[in-house]
């Protein structure tokens, strides 16, 4: 692949997609500009591949890879349809191999079905169906005590499975992070300068891994803690939220880098 002058890694919800409406209208002119410049836009989300493929298509991003399930998986540039992967099957068998009493306290998406996923996430039934089509990681609810959760996490570690708490869900995977995946993808593009955009704590790793980080304002949650890169001028914050902030941040960066159309 030819080396672009910049590669963009972006979170979706609250960043490139509006927090309430899921619209990316305010980012459209910038998406077109980036495409014209030949800068790939790599989506990085906690969403599953079946949730992300139609978004990549709607944004007309072209054949670019994506980071799905919070870094647990990669979606290839040319993938149009996705099926449950062997990694997810291995994850579920690892889960079933531990002490049955501890296992029973974890209610994974794979144990739930779309109706229950919709209930616990607030997604619509149709969205919940796509969120349940997993390839790399298993989010779930923990119904036991904190002590029991520690024992559960230890037992999973014995199966090579990592567990991370994020929001209400305990998510199990074989351990890859968004930052690992950024390195994989950047290498495919011959390591160009990179920028990451995100609005939430689970984006910090990505924001700190890229050469430039843009923290998108999110009036729905407390502001992210001050990052070391901010004093160095490597990380900045937008005043606007969602896709308007996305455009604001990238406009400022392109001008700082003297990139002309
Ligand atoms: Mg977000």
């Amino acid at each position: 692949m030819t080396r672009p002058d910049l590669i963009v890694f972006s979170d979706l919800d609250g960043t490139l997609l509006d927090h309430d409406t899921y619209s990316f209208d305010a980012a459209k002119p910038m998406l077109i500009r980036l495409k014209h410049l030949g800068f790939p836009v790599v989506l990085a989300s906690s969403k599953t591949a079946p949730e992300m493929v139609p978004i990549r298509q709607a944004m007309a991003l072209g054949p670019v890879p994506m980071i799905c399930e919070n870094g647990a998986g990669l979606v290839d540039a040319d993938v149009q349809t996705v099926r449950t992967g062997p990694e997810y099957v291995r994850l579920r068998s690892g889960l079933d191999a531990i002490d049955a009493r501890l296992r029973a306290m974890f209610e994974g998406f794979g144990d739930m079905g779309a109706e229950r996923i919709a209930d616990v996430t607030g997604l619509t039934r149709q969205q919940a169906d796509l969120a349940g089509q997993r390839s790399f990681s298993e989010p779930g609810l923990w119904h036991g005590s904190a002590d029991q959760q520690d024992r559960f996490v230890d037992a999973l570690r014995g199966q090579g499975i990592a567990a991370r708490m994020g929001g209400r869900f305990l998510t199990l995977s074989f351990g890859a992070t968004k930052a690992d995946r950024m390195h994989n993808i950047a290498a495919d593009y011959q390591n160009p300068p990179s920028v990451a955009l995100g609005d939430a704590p689970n984006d910090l790793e990505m924001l700190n891994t890229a050469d430039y980080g843009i923290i998108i304002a999110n009036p729905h949650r407390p502001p992210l803690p001050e990052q070391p890169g901010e004093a160095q001028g490597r990380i900045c914050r937008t005043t606007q939220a969602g896709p308007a902030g996305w455009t604001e941040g990238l406009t400022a960066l392109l001008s700082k880098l003297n990139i002309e159309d």
Side-chain angles (χ1 to χ4, degrees):
M1 247 177 295
T2 52
R3 185 177 187 269
D5 290 334
L6 185 71
I7 185 168
V8 179
F9 293 94
S10 180
D11 170 53
L12 281 173
D13 293 344
T15 298
L16 185 45
L17 297 178
D18 183 89
H19 180 275
D20 300 311
T21 65
Y22 299 107
S23 160
F24 61 93
D25 283 355
K28 275 183 182 165
M30 180 53 79
L31 284 168
I32 291 169
R33 188 174 168 200
L34 295 172
K35 192 167 198 181
H36 182 75
L37 288 163
F39 298 171
V41 176
V42 177
L43 304 179
S45 171
S46 57
K47 292 183 191 299
T48 63
E51 291 174 288
M52 293 178 74
V53 166
I55 297 173
R56 177 174 63 186
Q57 203 157 10
M59 290 179 176
L61 298 181
V64 285
M66 296 186 289
I67 300 169
C68 68
E69 298 187 33
N70 254 324
L74 271 184
V75 190
D76 288 335
D78 54 0
V79 169
Q80 295 302 318
T81 52
V82 191
R83 287 190 205 130
T84 300
E87 208 164 306
Y88 183 71
V89 176
R90 268 203 300 136
L91 199 53
R92 292 281 306 177
S93 6
L95 180 59
D96 289 335
I98 65 165
D99 182 320
R101 279 163 304 173
L102 288 174
R103 166 66 185 93
M105 295 173 198
F106 178 77
E107 185 189 12
F109 277 23
D111 304 314
M112 290 184 188
E115 205 75 51
R116 173 85 174 133
I117 294 174
D119 277 353
V120 301
T121 57
L123 295 172
T124 65
R125 176 68 166 66
Q126 201 183 0
Q127 290 166 336
D129 185 46
L130 296 177
Q133 294 175 37
R134 315 203 61 84
S135 302
F136 307 98
S137 66
E138 176 74 334
L141 293 171
W142 181 250
H143 296 300
S145 69
D147 272 3
Q148 288 163 329
Q149 182 176 319
D150 289 344
R151 283 196 283 133
F152 176 70
V153 170
D154 278 346
L156 288 173
R157 199 173 296 131
Q159 301 287 325
I161 297 171
R164 259 194 183 191
M165 198 70 199
R168 296 173 55 204
F169 297 105
L170 185 64
T171 298
L172 319 183
S173 74
F174 288 107
T177 66
K178 278 188 183 177
D180 297 328
R181 301 307 188 182
M182 287 170 71
H183 290 304
N184 300 148
I185 294 173
D188 287 344
Y189 285 94
Q190 305 184 53
N191 295 309
S194 59
V195 55
L197 300 101
D199 69 305
N202 67 1
D203 298 313
L204 285 176
E205 193 176 67
M206 187 166 82
L207 292 161
N208 285 303
T209 299
D211 296 308
Y212 304 97
I214 298 174
I215 298 175
I216 305 293
N218 183 341
H220 297 88
R221 64 165 87 231
L224 292 178
E226 166 96 22
Q227 300 300 302
E230 290 184 73
Q232 305 157 4
R234 206 176 53 69
I235 294 183
C236 65
R237 290 177 192 246
T238 66
T239 52
Q240 298 173 85
W246 197 86
T247 300
E248 176 196 331
L250 283 172
T251 304
L253 181 68
L254 294 186
S255 112
K256 176 175 159 176
L257 300 177
N258 293 314
I259 290 170
E260 286 171 23
D261 301 69

